[in-house]
Amino acid sequence: LKTNGPESGTSFTMLPDVSSNQLVMPLDDSDRELLLTCVPGFTSNAQKNEGDFPDQKRLVKALNFEKTDRIPTLDGRGAGKRVMESALGHSVRRAADGLNILAEDTVEFARQMGIDAVACDFSWQTGPLAYDPEGDLAAQARQAFPAPALSNELSMLENLLNAAQGSGVGVYARFSGFVENTFRTIVPSEAGLDLEGLFLRHDSLEKLMDMLVKHQGRAMRAVCDRFGRGLCFISVQDDALGCPDLLAGPDLFQNMIAPRLARMITPAREHGLRVALDTQASGANLELALPALIKAGIGIIQFTNPDVDALEHLAQAWHGKVVMMGGLPVSKLGQLSRAEIDEQLSRHAQKFSKKTG
């Protein structure tokens, strides 16, 4: 979508938009045409059908490999401020903390778009740091980037659940992972080294992972104990899990990564919640990791920018074991005409709607 500046981040942790000083910047005709094409629930003045409205039960059915009236829709990484304001008809309002979007605006946007569930983020970013191989990396990260207050995050989730009541919009909790965060501490000069050798030489990286797993596991425990019944599922966002070097050495992934992931998501599994991995991993890399991920307790794969052919292959190969979530890669939107986007979306929707999950 068109923008005059940096693209906004996720819908719950957006920083103030510095691309323009206008409170509301409506989309122009071409923007609106693209939105009409790409977002199934977005209409101008046309009468909406029943399937255009959000329904978290639709999503729950899909997660259980049951037939649904249409493919569920999620807004995984955030639509962006301009798109939200065009749909809402007013500037995006902020919560009391001044950073997060007001829960009522998030839910109303999802309702108008036909989005079946929205995410509430529990994120702790711990880098980058000036990496000292001899230092206590976990202690340095904790001091430089203090963990967010859990009470504030739980309040944000409660507000979102309250706003979503009766709207049909579901809510899921998304937690930042521990692998990508750990890699952020590696200085550029070491970025090309093999990861297995890096972990062997610097045990402080493991200590940092353990700190993140412990903190996020505790946060997940609090979320599940208090709000578990109201959530559609739990998600772990970690793009680095698709790193080819991480999967090249099976011992590294199976012995160091998968057990920690299993430990982190234990609270969700104990509460009977399905757990997703939100990643930018390629299909080939992910297929190598799937057996270990399933064993660890992952039952959903959320592709951020999927290769549709790879998504189709994985959906067929792992049908009944893992739910696959994906869509048309964002990179293609600027390369295709509206007719081509229409054709591809229609073709993919028909293809994937034939199989549950």
Side-chain angles (χ1 to χ4, degrees):
L1 297 175
K2 292 184 178 180
T3 180
N4 293 334
E7 187 175 353
S8 300
T10 59
S11 57
F12 276 93
T13 54
M14 282 172 49
L15 295 176
D17 188 342
V18 296
S19 62
S20 172
N21 58 6
Q22 289 182 255
L23 288 177
V24 181
M25 186 182 294
L27 302 182
D28 60 27
D29 291 341
S30 60
D31 288 327
R32 188 169 290 275
E33 287 295 308
L34 185 57
L35 189 60
L36 283 165
T37 300
C38 301
V39 184
F42 188 84
T43 60
S44 49
N45 297 316
Q47 184 69 32
K48 289 187 177 182
N49 299 316
E50 184 176 347
D52 294 327
F53 291 99
D55 185 357
Q56 60 179 313
K57 294 179 181 178
R58 176 187 297 124
L59 174 61
V60 172
K61 283 184 177 181
L63 297 183
N64 291 320
F65 298 96
E66 298 175 16
K67 265 290 188 183
T68 59
D69 59 335
R70 67 162 169 83
I71 296 176
T73 304
L74 299 181
D75 182 21
R77 297 283 174 110
K81 183 172 180 284
R82 289 184 64 192
V83 174
M84 289 190 69
E85 291 181 341
S86 178
L88 292 171
H90 59 74
S91 59
V92 169
R93 295 173 294 176
R94 301 287 173 178
D97 61 8
L99 292 176
N100 295 297
I101 295 176
L102 193 69
E104 287 78 4
D105 281 3
T106 299
V107 171
E108 177 58 21
F109 172 75
R111 194 188 66 79
Q112 292 196 31
M113 295 295 102
I115 295 170
D116 296 299
V118 294
C120 183
D121 284 313
F122 291 77
S123 179
W124 185 16
Q125 306 300 327
T126 56
L129 289 171
Y131 181 43
D132 177 10
E134 305 300 324
D136 186 338
L137 190 58
Q140 295 173 17
R142 197 165 45 238
Q143 182 176 7
F145 303 95
L150 180 58
S151 59
N152 292 342
E153 295 179 315
L154 292 174
S155 177
M156 181 174 65
L157 176 56
E158 184 176 23
N159 291 339
L160 191 58
L161 287 167
N162 288 338
Q165 284 187 3
S167 69
V169 178
V171 177
Y172 66 98
R174 179 170 55 198
F175 295 80
S176 58
F178 56 93
V179 183
E180 183 179 3
N181 261 347
T182 299
F183 289 171
R184 282 200 182 100
T185 66
I186 303 173
V187 295
S189 60
E190 297 205 86
L193 298 178
D194 71 286
L195 299 180
E196 193 162 11
L198 193 64
F199 276 103
L200 288 173
R201 290 189 294 107
H202 305 311
D203 62 349
S204 61
L205 293 177
E206 282 198 75
K207 292 179 181 178
L208 175 57
M209 284 199 298
D210 287 336
M211 181 188 74
L212 293 168
V213 168
K214 184 177 181 179
H215 176 272
Q216 291 296 74
R218 285 178 174 175
M220 193 177 297
R221 172 76 62 190
V223 166
C224 293
D225 286 349
R226 186 170 173 183
F227 301 109
R229 291 185 179 182
L231 299 175
C232 295
F233 64 96
I234 296 290
S235 180
V236 176
Q237 182 177 327
D238 202 321
D239 290 335
L241 279 174
C243 175
D245 292 338
L246 186 65
L247 300 171
D251 291 342
L252 178 62
F253 187 80
Q254 294 181 14
N255 297 336
M256 296 181 64
I257 305 302
R260 286 180 169 88
L261 179 62
R263 191 160 69 245
M264 176 178 162
I265 65 176
T266 294
R269 299 184 67 192
E270 290 178 352
H271 281 263
L273 285 164
R274 300 290 295 273
V275 184
L277 173 63
D278 184 335
T279 181
Q280 293 190 32
S282 69
N285 292 335
L286 191 58
E287 191 160 24
L288 291 173
L290 268 176
L293 290 173
I294 293 173
K295 185 178 179 180
I298 296 296
I300 307 166
I301 300 297
Q302 290 178 276
F303 288 92
T304 300
N305 230 1
D307 176 274
V308 179
D309 292 333
L311 181 59
E312 181 183 10
H313 167 72
L314 290 172
Q316 292 177 349
W318 296 89
H319 181 256
K321 297 179 181 179
V322 183
V323 173
M324 299 291 174
M325 295 183 181
L328 189 67
V330 175
S331 58
K332 287 185 175 291
L333 295 182
Q335 304 170 5
L336 303 175
S337 66
R338 175 177 177 175
E340 291 171 323
I341 293 175
D342 275 340
E343 189 275 330
Q344 289 205 21
L345 286 175
S346 176
R347 178 161 48 87
H348 295 323
Q350 291 177 4
K351 182 185 300 182
F352 289 113
S353 63
K354 292 179 181 178
K355 280 195 174 183
T356 56

